[in-house]
Amino acid sequence: MMSMTSHNLDFGRSVLDLVACGCSSSASIHRSSVRKIAMTGSRKSNRDCGARRLVCCRQNLARCRVYSTKTPETLLNVGQIPPAVLNLKEKSRSPISLANIFEVVAEDLQTLNQNLKSIVGAENPVLMSAAEQIFGAGGKRLRPALVFLVSRATAELVGLKELTTKHRRLAEIIEMIHTASLIHDDVLDESDMRRGQETVHQLYGTRVAVLAGDFMFAQSSWYLANLENLEVIKLISQVIKDFASGEIKQASSLFDCDLELEEYLIKSYYKTASLIAASTKGAAIFSGVDGSLSKQMYEYGRNLGLSFQIVDDILDFTQSAEQLGKPAASDLAKGNLTAPVIFALEKEPKLREIIESEFCETGSLDEAIKLVKTSGGIEEAQELAKEKANLAIHNLHCLPRSPFRVALEDMVMFNLERFV
C-alpha cells in the first residue's frame, strides 16, 4: 500500500499539518518553503514560482465538516510542479478522440462490455433492469480503459505477455462501483437525466434506484474479496468510503461562499479522483511491479481524476444542456460551488450576495452565471486543470515508451481539449 498512514485526520487541521503529518511522497516537499507559505497566510496566486492558491497553506480549515480515516496525499503538491510539458496550441496536432485512445485496448473493452451485465447477476429482474439501463446509457468506460492501459504498460516491464484474470476482473469491479455511485448520485442530486437518458430513479423510483446502487456495491465487493489481494481490497474499499465522505462534504457546504479551494479539491478527490487513482494503482499491483512504480500510477490517476473533475466543472458553465446531457450550471443552481465559482468569488462581491440568497430572485441564477464567466473564474479554473494534467504526465515518466503509455498521455490531453 502507498504510504497514506491513517491518522484520523480532521479537516479542521491546517494544510501545513497535512504536509507535515508524516505522509511520505515520491516527490520531496521543501519544508522551509511550506513554513514560509504558512507564515504569509496569503491567498495571492504566484504563478511565477509554480504556486497557486492551492499551495497556500491556510491556517483555518475549520469550516470542513467531514472526518476521514485517510486523507488524500498532499493534494496541494507543494514544491512538486514539474516543468510544463503540455502544449494545447500545437497547430499540427489533430484532436484526440477516446476511440483512438482506446484502440490499443479495444478487444479488452469489448470483452468487458460482454461481461458487465452477467457479472451483476440475475437474482432480481428489477435490479438487473435498472443496472442494464445505466450500463447501456452510453458510458465512456474510461475507468476500465485506464485499468487496461496501465495493466498492459506495466505488464511489459515484468515480461507478462497477456493480462491476468485479476486485471480483467478489476476493470469490471471498477466499472460496477462507478455505475453504483452514479445511481446514488442521481438520487441525491434529484437528477432526471444522465447522458441524455432518464435516470434509474426517474424510471423505477427512488427506492429501486437506492437498492440497485446498494446491490451493485455489494456485488462488486464480493468479486473484490475473491481477488484475494489484501492490498487491492483495502485500496478499493477505501474508495467506497471516500464516495460517502465526498457526498457528506458536498452536502454540508452548499451555498457556502467561504468554501476554500483546498476543500473543493479534497471533495473532488473523494468523489472522482479516488476511484481513478485506485484503478490505476490496482492495475500496477496485479502486474507485479515494485511499490514505487505502483505509487506513481496512483499519482497519475489522482492528478488525472482531479483534472477531469475541474474540466467537468468548467463545462457546466460553457456547454449547453444538450451537450452536457443535463441542465447547464446545475451544480451552481443547487449550491454546489466548484472551481470557476470559487475563483470568481474572489473578484465579484456581488456574486456572493446572489449565491447566499440561494437565487431567490427571478433571473439571479443567470446573473450569477454571467458573473462567473466575466470575472475570469473559468480561465483560472482552466489553469488549475492544466497544472494537474501536467503532474499526471510527469507521473508517467517512470514507464517505458509504448503505445500504452502514449495512450495514457493522450488521455490527459483529451481531457484538456474538452475546453479548448
Side-chain angles (χ1 to χ4, degrees):
M1 289 285 289
M2 64 185 297
S3 306
M4 287 174 51
T5 308
S6 174
H7 294 286
N8 285 320
L9 294 176
D10 69 278
F11 293 122
R13 294 172 60 184
S14 69
V15 177
L16 181 59
D17 290 332
L18 295 182
V19 174
C21 70
C23 298
S24 64
S25 173
S26 59
S28 62
I29 298 176
H30 302 292
R31 294 183 183 273
S32 60
S33 299
V34 175
R35 284 195 295 270
K36 182 178 179 182
I37 296 171
M39 289 172 64
T40 63
S42 173
R43 296 184 64 185
K44 183 179 179 181
S45 177
N46 185 359
R47 293 194 181 94
D48 291 340
C49 63
R52 294 190 58 84
R53 290 168 181 82
L54 74 162
V55 302
C56 295
C57 295
R58 301 172 178 83
Q59 293 299 318
N60 179 18
L61 287 182
R63 298 184 194 91
C64 296
R65 305 169 179 86
V66 179
Y67 290 78
S68 174
T69 57
K70 199 165 289 189
T71 287
E73 251 186 309
T74 54
L75 277 170
L76 309 185
N77 294 306
V78 177
Q80 296 183 40
I81 298 177
V85 295
L86 304 175
N87 183 5
L88 294 178
K89 297 182 179 180
E90 290 181 8
K91 299 297 183 182
S92 60
R93 188 182 185 99
S94 58
I96 299 171
S97 70
L98 283 180
N100 290 337
I101 296 172
F102 293 170
E103 187 175 357
V104 291
V105 290
E107 292 183 6
D108 297 325
L109 288 170
Q110 185 176 5
T111 301
L112 175 125
N113 287 332
Q114 293 168 354
N115 290 344
L116 272 177
K117 292 178 184 178
S118 61
I119 199 176
V120 171
E123 291 91 342
N124 190 306
V126 175
L127 295 182
M128 269 299 298
S129 180
E132 287 176 357
Q133 163 66 16
I134 196 162
F135 277 144
K140 296 185 288 290
R141 303 288 189 260
L142 184 146
R143 290 155 190 81
L146 285 169
V147 171
F148 291 135
L149 289 170
V150 172
S151 296
R152 292 198 174 276
T154 53
E156 289 185 337
L157 288 171
V158 295
L160 285 178
K161 301 296 183 184
E162 188 49 71
L163 299 188
T164 67
T165 302
K166 290 185 176 182
H167 281 127
R168 298 187 183 281
R169 184 47 53 89
L170 176 65
E172 294 161 356
I173 290 168
I174 292 297
E175 186 66 4
M176 277 200 295
I177 291 173
H178 175 58
T179 301
S181 73
L182 294 183
I183 295 173
H184 282 177
D185 279 353
D186 289 337
V187 172
L188 291 170
D189 297 340
E190 299 180 346
S191 299
D192 297 332
M193 302 293 291
R194 163 77 63 177
R195 299 165 183 160
Q197 297 190 27
E198 288 185 295
T199 56
V200 172
H201 79 89
Q202 182 73 7
L203 288 172
Y204 301 99
T206 298
R207 181 181 177 84
V208 170
V210 171
L211 291 173
D214 290 347
F215 175 73
M216 293 184 70
F217 274 130
Q219 195 78 329
S220 63
S221 297
W222 188 86
Y223 282 108
L224 178 63
N226 278 276
L227 291 177
E228 298 183 341
N229 184 298
L230 186 57
E231 184 175 9
V232 174
I233 291 171
K234 287 181 177 179
L235 187 67
I236 306 301
S237 297
Q238 179 65 39
V239 170
I240 298 174
K241 186 168 70 173
D242 286 345
F243 282 152
S245 296
E247 288 296 342
I248 295 169
K249 192 168 182 59
Q250 179 171 299
S252 65
S253 60
L254 295 178
F255 298 102
D256 181 2
C257 292
D258 293 318
L259 184 73
E260 298 280 357
L261 187 63
E262 289 91 344
E263 299 173 63
Y264 161 79
L265 287 172
I266 292 170
K267 180 202 71 174
S268 298
Y269 170 84
Y270 285 151
K271 294 194 65 176
T272 302
S274 176
L275 179 59
I276 296 176
S279 303
T280 49
K281 183 178 181 181
I285 290 171
F286 283 138
S287 291
V289 298
D290 63 50
S292 61
L293 197 148
S294 64
K295 183 175 180 179
Q296 283 300 308
M297 293 302 95
Y298 183 95
E299 293 297 316
Y300 166 79
R302 179 172 66 86
N303 286 312
L304 176 65
L306 289 172
S307 183
F308 254 97
Q309 184 58 58
I310 295 164
V311 173
D312 278 347
D313 293 337
I314 292 169
L315 297 181
D316 201 39
F317 288 95
T318 61
Q319 289 191 339
S320 65
E322 290 74 20
Q323 291 172 305
L324 293 168
K326 63 177 183 179
S330 57
D331 279 331
L332 179 58
K334 295 169 184 174
N336 178 28
L337 308 189
T338 57
V341 180
I342 293 170
F343 286 123
L345 280 166
E346 297 178 357
K347 300 178 181 178
E348 288 289 351
K350 176 67 174 176
L351 182 59
R352 173 184 284 267
E353 295 176 19
I354 297 172
I355 292 173
E356 289 181 342
S357 74
E358 299 188 13
F359 311 113
C360 60
E361 295 183 11
T362 302
S364 59
L365 177 59
D366 291 335
E367 184 179 358
I369 294 170
K370 182 179 179 181
L371 288 173
V372 171
K373 290 180 176 180
T374 58
S375 67
I378 290 173
E379 289 75 17
E380 288 199 66
Q382 288 174 345
E383 290 303 310
L384 179 58
K386 290 175 185 177
E387 288 181 6
K388 292 300 178 184
N390 191 47
L391 287 166
I393 292 288
H394 188 71
N395 295 135
L396 295 174
H397 289 175
C398 59
L399 295 175
R401 296 298 300 179
S402 71
F404 308 110
R405 174 177 160 178
V406 170
L408 290 167
E409 292 172 347
D410 283 347
M411 188 78 80
V412 178
M413 298 302 298
F414 165 79
N415 176 50
L416 296 184
E417 287 181 355
R418 292 192 295 154
F419 63 64
V420 172

